[in-house]
Amino acid sequence: MLDQDSSSAVNPLGVEEVIGCLRQRWRATYDLQLVVRRRRLYLHVMWAFLEQQSFPMDENSYRGHLAEVLDVVNRLGLADEVRNWLFTTRDKPRLGKALSLQLQLEGPEAESLLKEFLV
């Protein structure tokens, strides 16, 4: 039982899990973006979503984009933080207003990891 808990603490976020969460929470597959502002990294849940006719990606492109975003989140070790936020935030993306989570890195390697993504 203890091993199972410790392994779930490092369980990476997957594309299917995030899509399922988005559809369950908001009945739409919103776009996720990584945004750099003032040397800080944020995860945004955008107001545009896959089911819109004007959405610029098809489903395969969207899944590939989402996989790239989640790869960064997972490599930074923030899967659990993002997972918890996605499942519990009370806000909802609205036209012109994205949801935003500042990705907080801790520990001695935090600065070097962050520099990798802050070009």
Side-chain angles (χ1 to χ4, degrees):
M1 185 77 160
L2 186 60
D3 290 338
Q4 186 178 16
D5 289 342
S6 63
S7 68
S8 68
V10 294
N11 194 16
L13 264 172
V15 171
E16 294 302 321
E17 178 183 3
V18 170
I19 288 175
C21 173
L22 295 172
R23 287 179 176 163
Q24 177 186 353
R25 294 287 319 274
W26 298 302
R27 309 255 187 262
T29 315
Y30 288 103
D31 186 19
L32 270 62
Q33 297 284 331
L34 291 172
V35 177
V36 176
R37 213 177 308 134
R38 295 189 185 116
R39 297 200 40 80
R40 292 191 177 123
L41 187 61
Y42 296 86
L43 176 68
H44 284 192
V45 179
M46 306 304 288
W47 58 87
F49 54 94
L50 180 62
E51 294 81 8
Q52 283 178 312
Q53 283 187 339
S54 62
F55 193 69
M57 292 181 256
D58 64 16
E59 186 166 357
N60 288 333
S61 299
Y62 171 78
R63 286 176 179 272
H65 166 72
L66 190 57
E68 289 174 5
V69 169
L70 295 178
D71 181 54
V72 172
V73 168
N74 290 328
R75 287 175 48 207
L76 291 173
L78 298 172
D80 284 341
E81 180 182 340
V82 170
R83 179 181 288 116
N84 183 53
W85 179 70
L86 285 173
F87 277 98
T88 61
T89 185
R90 294 179 185 207
D91 292 329
K92 177 181 179 179
R94 300 186 199 300
L95 184 61
K97 180 183 178 273
L99 301 183
S100 182
L101 172 67
Q102 183 178 348
L103 299 177
Q104 301 271 345
L105 298 174
E106 297 178 3
E109 72 285 346
E111 187 64 27
S112 63
L113 278 172
L114 194 54
K115 282 181 183 177
E116 182 179 340
F117 300 103
L118 299 177
V119 179

